[in-house]
Amino acid sequence: MEKIEVRGINFDSLSMAEAVECCRCWLTEPGRTNPAVIYTPNAEIVQLCVEQPEIRELINSADLIVPDGSGVVLASRILGRPLKKGKVAGVELSENVIALCAKLGLGVYILGGKPGVADAAAEKLKAKYPGLVISGTHDGYFTDDAGIIAEINRSGAAFLVVCLGAPRQEKWIAAHRHELNVKLAGGFGGSVDIFAGTAKRAPKIFVRLGLEWFYRLCREPRRIGRMMKLPKFVFGTIAVRMRGGREPAGG
Ligand code: UDP
């Protein structure tokens, strides 16, 4: 797989169809006892990684890293190493892999969201994908990691959808991937809310214009603090380009 580095994160340059195909291979790989791991960083998270190298290392340890958002794709162009296949939105990737699990008869475990949200997501997904097996669900406000891991392993799920928000979900998966017996695990942020219908994706026109972040900011003004990372990311990327690709010393 072609890797393209954007501000320290080694993205895989592939289309949605190719990403789903990778997941199919991992889900059906005989003898796989620990999960392949997917992360889907957006510009906000890449900026966090610029500021916190330990999170960057952890994200780069994944088996598949796809750009969730136009900001990362734009940055790759500014840096002169374009992610030619465009963005691969985490919410779409996770739903496509859930649909694939339904087709293959493999179980899905949904971890994350406020109490009741993962259950609502499970119901909506089962209605949409007949035959889908939801092996289990749990909200994302737990403290007993060992208990949750035992439950996931007992459930027999093949695909673990982790929606604890970034970077908690990435840290959680990285810390526990060797204890988990699923075939594939990924961090998918607010996807559980989209599946449950408790949050809506931006209308297509915002998505097409690369303004999903703006729609989200209007819906959730409390995100303004986090979103201040976006201008930092864009200006930082232009500065890196002007320095011939070098990150400033100390991130
Ligand atoms: N969440 C969770 N446990 C936590 C923090 C967040 O389950 O400790 C859930 C939250 O309820 C939401 C999801 O993580 O469903 C995504 O949160 P957010 O929108 O803040 O994250 P992002 O998608 O921007 O990474």
Side-chain angles (χ1 to χ4, degrees):
M1 274 187 306
E2 189 192 2
K3 289 272 185 191
I4 293 191
E5 189 257 332
V6 179
R7 307 294 312 276
I9 299 295
N10 301 321
F11 283 94
D12 291 289
S13 177
L14 31 65
S15 65
M16 174 64 78
E18 289 165 336
V20 174
E21 177 54 21
C22 275
C23 295
R24 193 192 60 75
C25 291
W26 286 317
L27 283 165
T28 55
E29 190 180 319
R32 174 173 279 282
T33 48
N34 297 122
V37 168
I38 312 173
Y39 295 139
T40 67
N42 58 17
E44 218 174 276
I45 305 309
V46 178
Q47 178 61 28
L48 181 75
C49 293
V50 169
E51 294 165 16
Q52 297 186 32
E54 66 284 2
I55 299 180
R56 181 183 68 213
E57 294 314 308
L58 186 151
I59 291 199
N60 277 334
S61 70
D63 300 277
L64 185 68
I65 307 175
V66 293
D68 177 311
S70 330
V72 176
V73 177
L74 172 67
S76 73
R77 289 206 194 106
I78 293 173
L79 294 169
R81 303 181 290 270
L83 282 156
K84 290 197 201 77
K85 299 188 179 178
K87 71 172 177 182
V88 177
V91 62
E92 282 166 32
L93 177 60
S94 56
E95 183 164 349
N96 288 338
V97 177
I98 289 170
L100 176 68
C101 286
K103 216 158 33 179
L104 297 173
L106 298 172
V108 175
Y109 193 106
I110 304 175
L111 177 63
K114 299 210 169 83
V117 173
D119 288 330
E123 289 314 311
K124 290 259 169 71
L125 288 165
K126 279 196 284 188
K128 193 162 172 187
Y129 300 105
L132 174 64
V133 177
I134 297 290
S135 309
T137 61
H138 200 286
D139 68 72
Y141 296 85
F142 56 89
T143 47
D144 176 17
D145 289 333
I148 293 286
I149 292 163
E151 188 184 311
I152 294 166
N153 288 343
R154 260 197 317 269
S155 80
F159 181 34
L160 174 61
V161 178
V162 184
C163 300
L164 304 176
R168 185 178 171 208
Q169 60 203 8
E170 288 79 6
K171 287 184 180 169
W172 194 84
I173 294 173
H176 300 297
R177 64 186 291 181
H178 298 294
E179 300 159 65
L180 289 162
N181 299 142
V182 299
K183 302 259 184 190
L184 180 65
F188 297 107
S191 301
V192 67
D193 297 290
I194 306 278
F195 298 148
T198 48
K200 294 244 172 303
R201 277 202 85 187
K204 284 205 172 64
I205 181 74
F206 285 81
V207 177
R208 252 203 316 272
L209 293 174
L211 290 174
E212 232 171 325
W213 61 271
F214 180 66
Y215 176 83
R216 203 159 179 204
L217 181 61
C218 294
R219 306 269 309 195
E220 300 170 63
R222 68 182 166 81
R223 299 183 75 87
I224 186 72
R226 288 183 57 165
M227 282 194 178
M228 288 316 289
K229 289 209 181 311
L230 292 175
K232 268 192 182 167
F233 176 72
V234 174
F235 291 123
T237 302
I238 294 168
V240 167
R241 170 70 201 239
M242 285 162 67
R243 272 195 296 271
R246 266 175 302 112
E247 289 286 336

